[in-house]
Amino acid sequence: MKNNNNQKFREGCLALLFILLSALLSSCSTKVYTPELKTDFTSNASVTFGDFKYSCKVTKTADFLSVTPIDTAAAGMVIRCDGRAVTFTKGSMKREFPAEKITPLNPAVLMYEVFNSLTDAESKVSDGELVFSGIISAGEFVLTASKSGDIKKLAVNSAKIEIVFSNTEV
C-alpha cells in the first residue's frame, strides 16, 4: 500500500510539473522585429555601375527620390522619380517621361523602386546592421542600414550596381 501511495504521489507531482511547464512554455512569445528606415533624407552617395563610378546627392521624401550627379558630364542635372514619371532638369532644360519608359537601371528609378518595395522585402539583423533583400525590375537587391535606420549601402549584383551612402541628413 505504501508503494501504491508513493506511486500516486509521483504521478501527481509529474502531472503538476507537466501543467507548470505547459503554462510556462505557453507564456513565452516570439518578438517580431520590424526594423524601420529613415524615410526622408538627403545623402551623398558613391555610385558604381560596372566600371563606371561617380558621386551624387540623393534626396528621398515620401513622394519622390532624386539623384543629382556631382562629378560627371551630367553634374548638376536633377533626376527625379515619383513612381509615375521621371523628370530630368538641368538649368532651364526640363524633360519628363513616363517612369515605365526609363530603364530600371536609372539610379533614381532603381532607388525609388527599392525604397517602395521594402514592405515586401525580407529583413534581418546581421553583424549589427539592418539588412533588407528583395527583387525589383533591375534584379535582386540588398540594402544595408545602421540600427538607427541610416542607409549605408544598396547593391544590385546582377546589374553590377553598388551605391554607398555617406553624410546622411534627415
Side-chain angles (χ1 to χ4, degrees), residues 124-142:
K124 64 181 180 179
V125 176
S126 178
D127 296 327
E129 294 181 327
L130 305 176
V131 179
F132 298 84
S133 57
I135 299 175
I136 57 170
S137 301
E140 292 182 21
F141 71 86
V142 175

Side-chain angles (χ1 to χ4, degrees), residues 10 22 39 46 50 60 62-63 89 94 100 112 124 149 168:
R10 284 187 209 136
S22 296
T39 55
S46 174
K60 167 143 180 3
D63 299 325
T89 307
K94 183 176 181 180
E100 65 271 6
Y112 182 88
K124 64 181 180 179
T168 301

Side-chain angles (χ1 to χ4, degrees), residues 154-167:
L154 169 61
V156 181
N157 293 331
S158 61
K160 298 180 181 173
I161 295 174
E162 180 178 89
I163 304 168
V164 178
F165 298 84
S166 62
N167 302 324

Side-chain angles (χ1 to χ4, degrees), residues 79-120:
I79 307 164
R80 180 180 163 155
C81 179
D82 66 8
R84 295 176 307 280
V86 178
T87 307
F88 297 83
T89 307
K90 185 168 183 177
S92 62
M93 184 212 68
K94 183 176 181 180
R95 297 284 313 262
E96 184 173 289
F97 300 92
E100 65 271 6
K101 299 288 184 185
I102 304 298
T103 176
L105 300 177
N106 176 287
V109 173
L110 183 137
M111 285 187 267
Y112 182 88
E113 192 174 354
V114 165
F115 286 109
N116 282 285
S117 70
L118 290 177
T119 55
D120 298 324

Side-chain angles (χ1 to χ4, degrees), residues 13-35:
C13 285
L14 284 173
L16 181 61
L17 182 62
F18 178 74
I19 291 169
L20 288 173
L21 278 174
S22 296
L24 180 65
L25 292 176
S26 67
S27 67
C28 294
S29 64
T30 302
K31 184 177 177 183
V32 176
Y33 180 69
T34 307

